[in-house]
Amino acid sequence: MDSATTPLPKSDSFNADSPSPTGLGVSGEPGPMLSQLYGFLASITAVVAAGIYVIWAYVPDYWLRYIGIDYYPSRYWELGVPTYVTVMIVVAIVLYTGLNFLATPPPTSMKLIFEEYSEDILTGIPITDDGEPVLEPLSDMGIDHVDQLLNNLNS
């Protein structure tokens, strides 16, 4: 069989009948093929960058000059950049945790029990002319009322 006339095998990830061979869906949004490509390129870029860093960090200066690399960063940055990145990650975690502690009300705050939608059961009840409430208001029950109902169920 001639290679020019050999049909290509169909793959699950590529649809030959698709109107868009670029991996974009009909709506123009990236599909799974494009996201896989981005992930693959990001992993290759990370491996290449790590390889260049290791070569720069461990190869002696005279070897680099011998192969024609005359300009490269100071050896100070060999330890400076990873230390800086590590410290920034730790500082970000500490700041994020601290901001969450500042945004959280103290355990004794009533904001943890009541919110803007909770309503006191005695206020805001519309009353008809004969003194009866129009309908039972939707609100949170007090803890003493819940305790009383639970004690009545158990006895």
Side-chain angles (χ1 to χ4, degrees):
M1 189 177 245
D2 187 16
S3 64
T5 59
T6 305
L8 294 173
K10 288 198 174 187
S11 171
D12 291 340
S13 62
F14 179 74
N15 185 0
D17 300 329
S18 173
S20 175
T22 61
L24 296 177
V26 177
S27 64
E29 295 181 13
M33 287 179 55
L34 201 55
S35 64
Q36 291 173 359
L37 175 68
Y38 289 154
F40 176 72
L41 291 177
S43 66
I44 293 297
T45 304
V47 168
V48 168
I52 290 172
Y53 174 78
V54 168
I55 289 172
W56 167 70
Y58 290 109
V59 172
D61 290 340
Y62 61 90
W63 283 15
L64 293 174
R65 281 193 296 273
Y66 179 75
I67 60 173
I69 301 175
D70 294 328
Y71 180 76
Y72 47 85
S74 169
R75 294 292 178 164
Y76 164 78
W77 295 109
E78 178 181 337
L79 295 176
V81 169
T83 304
Y84 179 76
V85 169
T86 304
V87 167
M88 291 309 297
I89 289 172
V90 169
V91 166
I93 291 171
V94 168
L95 281 176
Y96 184 72
T97 305
L99 286 174
N100 280 327
F101 278 134
L102 287 175
T104 306
T108 58
S109 174
M110 293 304 283
K111 289 182 180 180
L112 294 175
I113 299 173
F114 297 105
E115 59 180 5
E116 62 187 77
Y117 299 108
S118 62
E119 187 178 303
D120 187 14
I121 204 146
L122 299 177
T123 60
I125 302 172
I127 298 177
T128 60
D129 293 334
D130 57 350
E132 293 293 319
V134 176
L135 34 115
E136 198 62 36
L138 208 79
S139 64
D140 294 337
M141 293 191 303
I143 190 70
D144 54 342
H145 184 65
V146 173
D147 189 38
Q148 182 183 14
L149 288 173
L150 290 175
N151 283 335
N152 287 342
L153 285 177
N154 291 335
S155 41

